[in-house]
Amino acid sequence: MNTFYIEKNTDKTTVFQLKESCFQLVQEFPAAEQNACGEFIKNYSPAQFFTAEQTHNFDFWLNINTSHNLCTWIEKNNNSFTFDYRLELLFAALSHPKISERNFQEGITLIIENQYRFFSALIYKNAIYGAFEHTLTELNTELLKKDLEEFRFGWLPHEEVIRQKGYGSVIKNPPTEAEGFHPTFIVCEHPEYFTGLGRMITLEKTKETIVQTLQENN
């Protein structure tokens, strides 16, 4: 069966096909050509489709209020899976050897930054207990460090992040055995903002990782 990974944002839809265990670009469709994209995909049925919606809505993180399990944040319809693009990054992070091992020993903090916007997540035993999003250009080093410290201990109110011109914060029932989520892993484009705040890591094959995980669990 063919397997496709579809990235959707307001500007375009990009279609990738799994070939020899790697996703390869097939075609791009501008926003005005979504009907053509739909017809293109129909030609490959039956197939598995994994659609990553590239939104920046903080409401995505409110899933934490109902479930700490990432797999429940995915919409499934037969052979079609739809999810927020941030899940691609989270699943890839959880498969990283250092994070996979460490987060089952104690709670960790993950930071992922792209184009100065970043999110941070509290993770313990592959479950998500908190998240906050902000923009590096609105924070100095000391305020970023302070926010991270308060976030780890569940003391960072949503209203405070909004006041700082950030996007929000949500923390839900972090377990005491996570011991403060102190070990920090960082994926970023601008490491100068995160000097001394944690261990830098690189995520690889993010599309392939989430697809493999979903195939194994469904």
Side-chain angles (χ1 to χ4, degrees):
M1 180 181 292
N2 289 315
T3 302
F4 292 91
Y5 197 97
I6 303 168
E7 291 181 347
K8 297 181 68 174
N9 59 37
T10 56
D11 299 322
K12 64 182 178 180
T13 297
T14 308
V15 181
F16 301 84
Q17 185 175 7
L18 187 63
K19 297 180 179 180
E20 298 179 357
S21 73
C22 182
F23 278 104
Q24 300 178 22
L25 175 65
V26 176
Q27 196 161 342
E28 290 185 350
F29 298 89
E33 298 179 10
Q34 292 309 296
N35 288 338
C37 179
E39 292 301 317
F40 174 84
I41 290 172
K42 285 181 182 178
N43 293 329
Y44 288 91
S45 295
Q48 273 193 321
F49 298 98
F50 297 83
T51 302
E53 298 180 340
Q54 297 188 357
T55 67
H56 292 288
N57 190 338
F58 185 79
D59 287 351
F60 161 74
W61 295 112
L62 300 183
N63 287 299
I64 294 171
N65 290 326
T66 55
S67 175
H68 302 298
N69 181 355
L70 291 177
C71 289
T72 65
W73 300 9
I74 294 169
E75 180 182 341
K76 181 184 177 184
N77 183 15
N78 296 323
N79 286 322
S80 176
F81 300 80
T82 303
F83 45 87
D84 187 282
Y85 80 102
R86 284 164 285 199
L87 279 177
E88 175 187 325
L89 303 175
L90 287 168
F91 275 106
L94 292 176
S95 72
H96 189 282
K98 295 297 182 184
I99 292 178
S100 177
E101 176 183 0
R102 191 66 177 272
N103 96 101
F104 276 88
Q105 299 170 354
E106 60 184 314
I108 68 163
T109 298
L110 172 69
I111 301 171
I112 297 182
E113 178 260 333
N114 176 256
Q115 296 181 348
Y116 296 99
R117 179 167 178 153
F118 73 91
F119 70 77
S120 181
L122 304 179
I123 304 174
Y124 181 55
K125 294 185 177 180
N126 282 6
I128 308 296
Y129 291 94
F132 93 98
E133 286 200 38
H134 217 308
T135 304
L136 291 175
T137 52
E138 298 291 344
L139 295 169
N140 58 42
T141 303
E142 289 305 312
L143 184 54
L144 173 58
K145 182 178 179 181
K146 175 178 175 293
D147 280 355
L148 286 172
E149 289 176 349
E150 294 184 349
F151 176 59
R152 291 186 183 104
F153 289 101
W155 301 336
L156 184 63
H158 175 79
E159 296 76 14
E160 173 63 15
V161 177
I162 297 299
R163 187 187 65 79
Q164 299 171 2
K165 299 181 181 179
Y167 301 101
S169 172
V170 56
I171 302 167
K172 185 70 172 179
N173 300 329
T176 56
E177 60 267 28
E179 300 182 348
F181 300 92
H182 183 71
T184 302
F185 298 86
I186 303 167
V187 182
C188 64
E189 292 182 347
H190 300 90
E192 64 273 17
Y193 285 88
F194 299 99
T195 301
L197 296 183
R199 177 172 182 169
M200 303 291 178
I201 62 171
T202 301
L203 301 183
E204 299 179 349
K205 293 192 171 183
T206 58
K207 297 178 181 63
E208 290 81 0
T209 298
I210 188 172
V211 167
Q212 180 179 351
T213 302
L214 295 181
Q215 288 174 331
E216 290 174 351
N217 287 277
N218 289 275

